[in-house]
Structure formats: structure tokens, C-alpha cells
Amino acid sequence: MLPRVGLRMPRTSAFSAHRLSAHPQLHAIASRAYATTQDKKTLVLLGTGWGTTTILKHLDTANFNVVVVSPRNYFLFTPLLPSCTVGTTESRSIMEPIRHIVKRRGKQMQFFEAECTDIDMGRKQLTLTQTAEESNVITQIGYDHLVVGVGGTYNTFGTPGVEKYACFLKEMNDASKIRRRLKDAIERASFGSLSNEERDRLLHVVVVGGGPTGVEFAGELHDLVTEDLAKWVPGLSQRIRITLVEALPNVLPSFDKKLVRYTEQIFEKNGIQLRTSTRVKEVRDKTLVVQHADHGEEEIPYGTIVWAAGIRAREFAHTLRAKVPEVQTSGRGLIIDDYLRVKGTRDIWALGDCTVSKNAPLAQVASQQGKWLARALNGLAQDANAFEQIESQSKPFIYASNGSLAYIGSEKAIAELPWFRKQITVGGPFASVFWKAYCLWELSSVRSSLSVATDWVKRALFGRTMSVD
């Protein structure tokens, strides 16, 4: 399925492999040989998200020994992840193998499907743990330059029961889990022996988090209920309830207030209950406890709960932070400067959701950071002091907003677009067309764009499918 991309280089170096029987928790400690050319610097990229994938697209790989390390061997187009939970878009349509992205551009790299678990900054060495199933292989590789783009993961804010009972929406596995949970709840609710109270509980979906991810999932779920479940299970579809819980006074706090009001009006019309100024205190097996701003606690029964509230840096970012605690003082992620350099380190850059800067954790921020860093590195490939010289050779990174989009259901979306020095705000069917056009344009390949467009046509002609493994 995946082509092998080899590096043909005149000289190679390899780390030796050995087994440590003294540590029973590790089946084997091995080092996988990788080719390097000694007259080139080794550039290691951690992650295959928006930032690092954009670097690969714009980097001149002839100037570096490029090594990519990530627990997933594909790029995930996250704006369409909520639509995968209900069958509007199929999962493979938005997963582009990283080797395909690199090979199509005639570039070279070495890829390791592994998790980076530790770093020795003095020796410039990374410890990798292979993530293949039933594999516990540990590898060590060296680097001259390192780019940390490991991204972010869900943030529970220490709320009891979230990790045990809630579904998240950050990775494709999360979307599949939600899809399966929804299907199971509907099938269980179809049994006639259930009480009405238990049936209503099973068919109540609670979304925690009023940001774009939570709002888009609620919109997609509403479309599934009204367009498909109303035909398949008409008796049950009328009992399905969607509740969105947000701790702030309103949803979509980063959007224009007019668009927020429009979204709230559409949700009210579609029967999606908004509970703003409401904080989740605890998630239990079949209920969640919430605290209202203006009155006391309430216990809400649910069948499926989707947690889309907050984001935090992945574990490696905190591992790196711990190496320089006197400088890296933020618990949210890696503090970087205006040149994307990790403060307190040398020859290490970071970008995207694992960082702390003046920019919001958005996909387009990470993408622009990746493009900026690739161009900067291209100009400094032969410079032994690239980490220091980048400040004199490049202008600081400045994020330029391309606007914000969010799908809100019923073939409607909201858009906040820059026009010269003004912001244009649009909500409705036209914005939905614009949102779809943006997705097709931004997808990483023609194959992905055609696959997504085909999914949309099939959905329009035949409806969605909730089939799941």
C-alpha cells in the first residue's frame, strides 16, 4: 500500500542494536540503521501534522538528511474530522500517507513510525519507541537540527471521569470510536424492553466545548439525525437530543459576535440545546455533573459524551520542557521566540499546537509557521550556526490570518474573511459552499480532493452510512 522511499547516499552511519534482558518491561532495545550523508546536516522533524507536513512540502531536501518521526504515517486533514464521525466523509479520504506527499514532489526523507520519548540535548540524540502493534523496540538517532511539531491532544482540565467515559475528537481513532458509540446507542435504544427513561438517556448526546470542533460536530450530528436517521429509525430519531455545554458565556468566542448570534439562532431552530456559562464538574458512567454560573449543580443523563474542550501539548513537549525548567515555565507547552526557536535550547525549533506563543493554536498558524521555517532553513542549509544566524537572515514570523470558517449544520456555515483591512462576516448556505470549496482546495492531494468530493456526492444521492468495524 505504501511505497518505500529509500535514501541513496554514499556514506552511511548506523547505531548498533542490542537486547537488554535485565529490563523485562522491554522486549528488545534495537537501533534501526538509517542513511546519512556526512557533508549534510541531519534535520529531524517530529510529527506529521500541519506544521511539519508543510515544511516537507517547501523544504529543499537535497540540503539535508531529512528524518521524519511520528506515531502515524499519514497527514490528517482535521477540518473534516467531525464529518467522519457521522459518515458524511469517509476516514481514508482525509488521510494522506506522508510518503506519498514527499514522493510526489520528488523529495527524499527517511520515515520512522515511532514515538519520540526522550532527548539528550548534550549528545543531540533522540530516543524513539516504535508504535507498531505488539512491538516494544527502542531506537536512538542523532540530529543536527530538530523541529518539534508533535501537536496537541485533549485537555481534561483535571475533570474526574472524563478520560474513562468520554470520547474525544483529535485523531481518526477518536472519530471511529464516536461513530461506533452512536451506532451502538441507537441499536440498544431500539429494544422494546427498555424504559422510556433509559431510551431517552441512550439517545442523548452531550458535546462539551463550544469551539469550532464542538460546534461542527453538533451540526454534523444534527444533519445525520434529520437527513438519515429520520428515514432509518423514524420512531427513535425524534427522541434524539443534542446538548452543547460551554463554560464561557457564548460559543465560538474567537468569532465575530454577529456570527455567534447567528449560530445560536440556527442551533435553537435545529433543536440543539446550548448550555453556556456551564462548567462540567464530573463525568460518571451514565450522567455528568455540571455547575451553572447562576444556580447550583445539575446531574444530566447521557448516552454519548464527546469532549471537545481545550487542548494541551503532547507528552514529548513536556519532556523537553523538563530539560530546561528555568526557561520553559509554561505548563501549556514549549515557549518559542519570534523565530520559532525553543527558548533555552540550541538547534531546536517548534511549531503548532505544542508551543506557547502570541498565536492561537490553529491549523493555519502551524501551516504558515511550517512554510516560514522551511524557507528560513533553505537559506541557511550550509551555515554551521543556522540557529543563531536565522535572526539576521530572516524576518520574524508574523501570522497573517486568512479568515475563519465553521460548519454549523443544515448546509449552513459561518465565515469571517479578511478583505483589505476589514473583516467580512457571512453566514448561511453561501458560506457553506465556500467552506466546502476551501476544504477541497486545502486537501493535500488531488486524490484526497476527489475522494472527499465523491463522498459528498454519495451522501447527497444515497445518504450516509454508519457502518463501522
Side-chain angles (χ1 to χ4, degrees):
M1 176 180 173
L2 298 178
R4 294 182 178 271
V5 181
L7 296 179
R8 297 185 179 181
M9 299 179 180
R11 298 180 182 179
T12 63
S13 62
F15 295 98
S16 61
H18 61 283
R19 294 181 180 271
L20 290 184
S21 57
H23 296 277
Q25 71 273 22
L26 301 180
H27 294 292
I29 295 182
S31 179
R32 186 174 171 181
Y34 67 98
T36 61
T37 301
Q38 293 181 353
D39 59 351
K40 295 180 184 179
K41 298 289 186 181
T42 297
L43 173 64
V44 177
L45 308 178
L46 299 184
T48 50
W50 285 88
T52 47
T53 300
T54 304
I55 290 177
L56 287 171
K57 292 178 180 178
H58 294 88
L59 184 72
D60 185 355
T61 58
N63 293 328
F64 300 93
N65 300 312
V66 180
V67 180
V68 180
V69 178
S70 176
R72 67 183 192 201
N73 65 355
Y74 57 87
F75 167 73
L76 180 65
F77 189 76
T78 50
L80 288 176
L81 191 58
S83 70
C84 290
T85 63
V86 297
T88 305
T89 307
E90 292 303 321
S91 58
R92 289 192 178 186
S93 299
I94 63 171
M95 298 163 65
E96 186 71 14
I98 200 68
R99 291 181 175 93
H100 289 191
I101 294 173
V102 173
K103 188 66 174 178
R104 278 198 307 269
R105 290 168 172 78
K107 299 184 178 184
Q108 293 180 321
M109 70 156 190
Q110 186 84 1
F111 176 78
F112 293 150
E113 188 177 75
E115 187 91 40
C116 187
T117 55
D118 202 2
I119 179 172
D120 185 333
M121 293 191 294
R123 299 172 61 191
K124 286 194 169 183
Q125 196 168 81
L126 300 170
T127 300
L128 315 181
T129 302
Q130 199 173 56
T131 55
E133 190 175 354
E134 297 182 359
S135 175
N136 216 353
V137 177
I138 293 180
T139 305
Q140 290 184 326
I141 64 171
Y143 69 89
D144 295 302
H145 302 306
L146 175 65
V147 178
V148 182
V150 294
T153 185
Y154 55 84
N155 191 348
T156 67
F157 304 102
T159 307
V162 174
E163 293 202 36
K164 184 175 182 180
Y165 299 113
C167 298
F168 303 99
L169 194 48
K170 287 294 295 179
E171 299 289 344
M172 186 53 69
N173 288 340
D174 298 330
S176 299
K177 181 179 179 180
I178 293 171
R179 196 167 173 171
R180 186 177 297 106
R181 187 76 62 87
L182 292 172
K183 187 265 296 181
D184 289 346
I186 293 169
E187 297 299 346
R188 288 173 60 193
S190 65
F191 279 82
S193 58
L194 292 177
S195 66
N196 287 332
E197 183 180 6
E198 176 65 7
R199 185 173 288 107
D200 288 339
R201 181 193 69 80
L202 287 169
L203 297 177
H204 186 200
V205 181
V206 176
V207 185
V208 181
T213 301
V215 167
E216 289 181 334
F217 170 70
E220 291 281 359
L221 181 58
H222 165 267
D223 291 352
L224 171 69
V225 173
T226 57
E227 296 173 8
D228 297 282
L229 296 184
K231 302 174 185 176
W232 303 343
V233 283
L236 294 179
S237 66
Q238 297 175 359
R239 307 183 75 133
I240 295 176
R241 293 182 298 134
I242 306 170
T243 300
L244 193 150
V245 178
E246 169 57 47
L248 296 177
N250 57 265
V251 298
L252 300 173
S254 62
F255 279 75
D256 185 271
K257 291 183 179 179
K258 291 186 293 184
L259 296 178
V260 172
R261 287 195 296 270
Y262 177 75
T263 301
E264 291 173 346
Q265 291 169 2
I266 294 299
F267 273 25
E268 183 179 1
K269 181 181 177 181
N270 290 342
I272 300 174
Q273 184 180 19
L274 286 179
R275 294 195 175 211
T276 55
S277 300
T278 302
R279 182 174 64 89
V280 177
K281 293 191 65 177
E282 183 183 359
V283 178
R284 298 171 181 168
D285 183 19
K286 298 180 180 181
T287 62
L288 71 155
V289 180
V290 299
Q291 174 73 52
H292 300 282
D294 53 353
H295 53 279
E297 294 184 0
E298 180 186 1
E299 192 167 352
I300 303 173
Y302 72 87
T304 303
I305 181 169
V306 176
W307 189 272
I311 188 172
R312 64 178 177 86
R314 292 188 182 274
E315 191 59 36
F316 177 76
H318 299 292
T319 299
L320 180 54
R321 279 183 51 242
K323 306 292 182 179
V324 282
E326 65 282 356
V327 179
Q328 294 293 329
T329 56
S330 174
R332 294 187 293 119
L334 296 169
I335 301 174
I336 58 174
D337 64 14
D338 291 339
Y339 298 88
L340 309 186
R341 297 175 296 191
V342 178
K343 291 186 177 182
T345 69
R346 178 179 172 81
D347 294 325
I348 302 178
W349 289 266
L351 71 176
D353 293 350
C354 66
T355 64
V356 177
S357 68
K358 56 189 176 185
N359 300 307
L362 300 172
Q364 60 175 299
V365 172
S367 182
Q368 290 184 27
Q369 288 175 329
K371 185 180 294 186
W372 181 92
L373 186 55
R375 290 173 176 172
L377 291 174
N378 285 338
L380 294 167
Q382 306 304 321
D383 198 322
N385 298 313
F387 193 71
E388 291 80 10
Q389 292 301 315
I390 196 171
E391 191 167 344
S392 60
Q393 298 295 324
S394 304
K395 294 181 180 180
F397 170 76
I398 299 177
Y399 167 61
S401 175
N402 294 323
S404 301
L405 294 160
Y407 181 72
I408 60 175
S410 299
E411 293 301 320
K412 295 180 178 65
I414 55 174
E416 194 173 88
L417 307 172
W419 181 257
F420 294 100
R421 295 187 178 182
K422 297 182 179 180
Q423 290 282 344
I424 298 177
T425 58
V426 183
F430 174 76
S432 178
V433 173
F434 189 85
W435 175 79
K436 290 180 179 180
Y438 161 80
C439 289
L440 294 177
W441 177 261
E442 285 293 322
L443 281 159
S444 55
S445 68
V446 175
R447 182 200 72 86
S448 294
S449 297
L450 289 175
S451 296
V452 169
T454 302
D455 290 341
W456 290 342
V457 171
K458 289 192 297 183
R459 191 269 302 171
L461 294 176
F462 311 112
R464 297 168 179 80
T465 173
M466 285 294 288
S467 300
V468 63
D469 295 337

